[in-house]
Structures are given as C-alpha cells and as structure tokens.
Amino acid sequence: MRSKLEASSLRGQLNSAQYEAVTTHLGPLLVLAGAGTGKTRVITFRIASLLHEGVDPSSILAVTFTNKAAKEMKERVKELLGFHPKGITISTFHSLGVRILRTDSEALGLRTNFTIYDSSDQQSLLRGILRDIRGAVTSSDVRSVQSAISLAKNRFQDSDDLIDEAEDDWEILIARAFARYEEHLFSMNAVDFDDLIRLPVKLFKNNSEIRDKYQGQFRFVMVDEYQDTNGSQYRFTQSLVGAERNICVVGDDDQSIYGFRGAEMDKILKFERDFPGAKVIKLEENYRSTASILSLANRVISENSERYPKELKSTLGVGEPIEWVDTKDEPSEVDYVLRKISEIKRTTKARYEDFVILMRSAFQARPFEEKLRLRQIPYTLVGGQSYYDRKEIKDVLGYWNVLSNPHDDVSFLRIVNTPKRGIGPTAIKKLDTFARSKNISVYESIFFASQGQGDFPPRMRASLKLLAEAFAKARDFKEEEDYGQMCRTLLDEICYKEYLHELYPDPLTVQSRWAAVEELCRGVEKWQEDNPGQSFSRYMEALMLQTQDEQADDDRRGVTLMTLHSAKGLEFPVAFLVGTEEEILPHKKSIEQGDRAVEEERRLLYVGITRAQRRLFIVGAKERKVYGATRVRLPSRFLTEIGDFEHWVKEYYDPDAQVVTGDQTNFFLNQILQQGNQDQ
C-alpha cells in the first residue's frame, strides 16, 4: 500500500487552515477545531507529515482521552502511510500514565504490579473508612466523598490542602477520609484512575532525571481535546514538553462541558500565556452539518463571553429548517418525538440508528424508554449498566485482582465470602488482626490459617483451606501463563456456576450471567493470543483502562437515548433535543451557581446542536410534572435570547387536537441517508 502523502499533495487533501496546522511542526501550536471541522484528520495528517519528514517515530507522542479515539488515530495514521509506524506513542492520558508508572513507580515506593481501582472498588474502601471515622454512613455519603476526593486529585490537591480550606465539619470529614484513603491505597499497592495522571506528575516533580528522560524521548507532543484537561492532566502535559517546545494542542473552547469532572477551560484560553509566541490556527469549515444547523449553533454560542471568537461555516448547503416545537406537556413531548421518528422513517431511507434523543439529565429518558418499549421501537440507552458493573463480572475480576496483586485487600474482602463460605464480619476481623500481626496481606493470611496457624475455629479454617487451595491451583496456571485455564479452574474450584443457580431461580437468568462470565474467560484467551509473552498484570491493566471509555457508538442498536455530556464526538443524521426549558437546560443548579456555570450549560446546548447532521428538532413542554406537582414551564433562555432566526420553524403540538405546523420536506435528508446507507 502506497502512502497517501505520496499519492497526492497535502494541499489537495486539506483545506488551507488544516494544511497550515499539519505542516507547522516546530514550536507551540494551538489548533482551535470547531465541531465537525476535521480535528482528527488534522492530528493524524500531522503525525504522518512528521514521519514523512524523517522524524523518529519514537519521538512522537499523541495523547487523547479515550481508547476509541486513540485506536482511530492509529488506524488513520496507518492508512495514510501504508504501514504501521513502530515506536510511535498514540495513547490515552491514563494509558500513558500507567506506562510511566509501570516503568518508574519504584521511585514513588510503588510496586510495579499495582492494582488499578475502579469506582466501585473506591467506594468499598471509602465505605469502610467512613464507618471507622463516624459510624453510620449512607451510599450517598460515600459517593459524595468519592467525588470530592477525585475533584481534589484532579486539581492536584492533597488532604492537607483540603484541611486548610475546610469551612465546616463535612469538609473536615472529607479531608480526613482522603488522608486515610491514600494510606490504604499505598499499603495495598493500589492506585485509582486519578492517580494514573497525578502520580507521574509527582514523579517528574521529585525526580528531574526521570522527567528529563521522557522529555528527551518525546520531542513532538500532541494533545487532543485540550479543553477537557483538568489540573492534573494539564500539569502532566506541561511536564512532558521539553526545551524545544514542540507542543501542538487541538481543542474547542466552545465544547468545554466537563467542569464537573474538574476540566478547566481556562487552560485552552491561556495557552498563549503558557507558551509565549504560540501560533493559533482556527478550523471553521464544518463537514458535518447543514448551514441552518450551524447558523443556530453560532448564534447560541456567541452569547458566551469567555471564548475565542470563531464561526462555523457549512460545506453542505443550507439544508432544512430547524423545527422548534412547543408541546402541551411531557407526554405530548414524548408522543411528538416518537411520531416524528416514525414519520421520517416511513418517508425516507432512515434507519432507527439514524436518530438520537438528547437530554440534559438521565432522568428524562424514562418516559421515552417506556413508550419506545410500548411501541416496540428498538433503542439503546447510553450510560446504562456497564458490562463490567455486573455482579458476576465484578466477582470474577475480584479474584483476578487478588491473583495479580496479593496486597489488594479490597478485592480480597469482596470475594472472600463469594460464594458463601461462612466467613462473615467476625471471621474477617480475625483474619485482618492476624494479617496485621504478621505484617502480611489479608489474602496471604489464609495460607497461614489453612496450615494451622492463628486462632481460627475449625469450620472457618476448613473454608479458608478450600479457598487457599483454589487460589493455589489457579496460581499454578497463571505462572504457566495459561490464563484461560487459570480462569476456568478457579471458577470450577469455587463452584461459581452452582452459586449462580443458588442466587437466581430463573434458569434463563443463570444462563445469561454465566454467558457473561464465559465471555470474560474467552476475552483473556483472545488477549493472550494477541499479546504473547505479556504478564497477567498487563491484561488486568488493559481491562481496567478499557472500562473507562464511554459506551462506544458502534454498539448502538435502534434509536439512541443519551445525555448531552455523553454525546460529544458523535454525530447523527437526525437529532431531537428534548426538555429545552429553564431549570432543565440551563440546569437549575447552574443558574444558582452563576454566570460561568450558565455559560457551560450554553456550551452543552451548542454541543447538542452540532451533533445533528441533516435535521434538528428542539422540543420542550409548556407543562411538566416536577417533584410530583405539574408546573408551567418556560423555554430555555438560550433559545429566547436569540430573537428572530431565519432558519427555524416554530410549532405547537397537542396530540389530542393533532395540532402541528410546519412539516417540512424530507428530500435533502433522503439524499444523505441514501448515500450513508450505501457507504455502510
């Protein structure tokens, strides 16, 4: 396969702004890439251009936020060059952090086989800590403390910082829990996802030799979605850039919508301050949406004060008007959307997969789900329960975590009585006391107990002996690097399938849950085939990083229901923005928090609008039940502040009266759907 860089000139494949961004190789560069302007194209062409100019692949680093985005970049670079360049690093922030920690973690006192804790592992650990500190604790308390600790880590704060800033007893509690949480993580040789960024930054700060090593290796640094970086990711990026200052960041301040996760839009706005003399290039030609859709997006976002001025321009023509529909009430809103989907599907070549229903908050999905099921319309709810959050998967992964890291007490305590072995809280406390007396992990204590050491009752000792034998047999296969057999042996030894039969009387439920477990075993076998010679710890690392991605849009079936936060980066021929009312969008809490929070809500609407390729429907209700009472609703200020707008048709819908105005021709949509379906 010949390189596309050789087959035709770059100028023939890129517009002028893209070409300038791709061929600016030296010095700091900020690429402001509006929605649908070919951001990924610019990054991948830039990588290919650097390689074509003779840059050593190992000196190129491209960092993004999801495994899906990193995979897409790799595939596109390979397609451009005609081969996969060895040595280049195209990675997520978290994967790069893991790579650095696996190599140099001992400088932080961390063993290289550390466990990565996911959200539920963190909650299990924090629940125990909070009980020790104050006794009774609710799930809401645990989640709140978890969020506060995560936000502090993303801002590069520690427990001492929180103590200094604490203004009440609750904030003091969070600071104390944070301190104990960190102590427990360290003792169990574990990290959480926030640590995968924070700890490398700490490593670079404390060890200039290690920092200089990575700066010397990565001479060309590229960062995707720069507007989404939080404090730790920002410091991480800064610490990787050497004296040559060859850093290129790509992003869009108008799509900065993750403030609740600690993302700081100021970072992209102040890039020129951080790197004096930086070049700024704006990508404004949009290849996704019609001019009418982009005109609305431009009008909405222009009301924000904190932004780089720019305006999206469509390459597709005007297209069809936007329909702004005011419905009688919430049931009418649902009825209108589903009626419109059926109408468009009937009169065009659209498939259900071409439609998305976008909402500000997840609770808005329930009435749509109910009616979709009633009308037997297939749909996918993005953000539902993850495969990795299922009980049976968490159980098996708990065993695997312990096999990978014997110091992982949180995982061990999850599975020590799963399936039931008669090892309750009193028995666990005995194990913990014994482990502390021997200065070993709780997992290691079961082997001592099974050999007669410690003051354990006979029944408990017998149960621990069976568990120790199960682990020992599985560990033998692990050491032989037969991970599939390790998995199956462990499941047989602990009688896990029989346990599922005890839990679930319905045979179909057992079949479904056991199938999920078998899928996990096949997954580790497939991974080992693809990665011969790699350790089991590396598999667990890859698995944990994989669980961090949002649900892939490739898995969609039928109409998609999703929140606006989940929709960034996706596109659909037809989009319905629902609940476009005050106190929903903008959200009531954001209104209370002030102008900056409201501006983020406006960016959220902008993201929603720019998901639509050919048709956009903006839908709200005149009345809606809120907290059990029906209340009159007002349209979102983001729409009313626009005033007159030439590209929309305002409608009112009452299903009882069948009142609807402004139905538009589907000719333009039909053309693009026909083309899109042929492409697939």
Side-chain angles (χ1 to χ4, degrees), residues 453-592:
Q453 296 190 39
D455 181 23
F456 299 107
R459 286 185 62 185
M460 179 181 172
R461 196 184 299 279
S463 294
L464 293 175
K465 184 176 182 181
L466 289 174
L467 181 58
E469 289 173 350
F471 269 117
K473 290 178 181 178
R475 193 173 57 205
D476 287 343
F477 285 108
K478 173 177 171 286
E479 290 172 357
E480 293 172 9
E481 297 187 354
D482 188 345
Y483 305 145
Q485 191 58 49
M486 175 202 78
C487 172
R488 299 177 200 288
T489 297
L490 188 59
L491 292 169
D492 288 343
E493 289 294 319
I494 64 174
C495 303
Y496 193 78
K497 191 171 186 179
E498 290 78 359
Y499 171 61
L500 291 178
H501 280 286
E502 292 173 13
L503 284 180
Y504 308 107
D506 176 24
L508 290 177
T509 301
V510 174
Q511 182 180 349
S512 169
R513 292 184 178 271
W514 182 248
V517 172
E518 289 188 318
E519 182 182 340
L520 197 61
C521 293
R522 287 194 297 272
V524 71
E525 290 172 331
K526 179 66 167 60
W527 181 87
Q528 193 168 19
E529 287 177 15
D530 296 339
N531 300 272
Q534 291 289 322
S535 69
F536 185 64
S537 294
R538 288 300 172 92
Y539 170 72
M540 293 301 294
E541 169 193 306
L543 193 65
M544 293 305 295
L545 291 172
Q546 180 182 329
T547 66
Q548 281 301 93
D549 273 8
E550 301 285 351
Q551 180 172 341
D553 61 320
D554 296 337
D555 295 335
R556 295 198 311 263
R557 297 291 184 273
V559 176
T560 300
L561 277 71
M562 68 196 322
T563 65
L564 291 165
H565 283 104
S566 300
K568 194 158 78 71
L570 304 181
E571 56 188 44
F572 299 82
V574 185
F576 293 85
L577 271 165
V578 300
T580 51
E581 304 148 26
E582 283 290 293
E583 298 190 350
I584 294 180
L585 184 65
H587 195 278
K588 184 178 180 180
K589 286 184 180 178
S590 298
I591 296 171
E592 294 167 353

Side-chain angles (χ1 to χ4, degrees), residues 402 408-418 428 431-432 442:
V402 174
D408 184 357
D409 285 350
V410 167
S411 293
F412 178 75
L413 293 176
R414 175 185 175 85
I415 54 86
V416 67
N417 202 39
T418 304
I428 288 172
L431 271 177
D432 184 56
V442 183

Side-chain angles (χ1 to χ4, degrees), residues 586-603:
H587 195 278
K588 184 178 180 180
K589 286 184 180 178
S590 298
I591 296 171
E592 294 167 353
Q593 290 167 359
D595 291 345
R596 291 204 76 180
V598 170
E599 288 212 348
E600 179 158 321
E601 292 286 298
R602 192 180 279 109
R603 292 194 294 272

Side-chain angles (χ1 to χ4, degrees), residues 187-220:
S187 68
M188 293 184 289
N189 195 40
V191 298
D192 60 28
F193 278 95
D194 298 319
D195 289 329
L196 298 181
I197 312 299
R198 192 176 67 107
L199 290 180
V201 176
K202 183 178 178 182
L203 180 66
F204 293 156
K205 183 179 179 181
N206 297 339
N207 194 313
S208 59
E209 185 178 341
I210 293 176
R211 182 195 65 219
D212 292 346
K213 176 181 72 172
Y214 287 101
Q215 286 185 355
Q217 177 183 348
F218 299 127
R219 293 182 51 241
F220 296 88

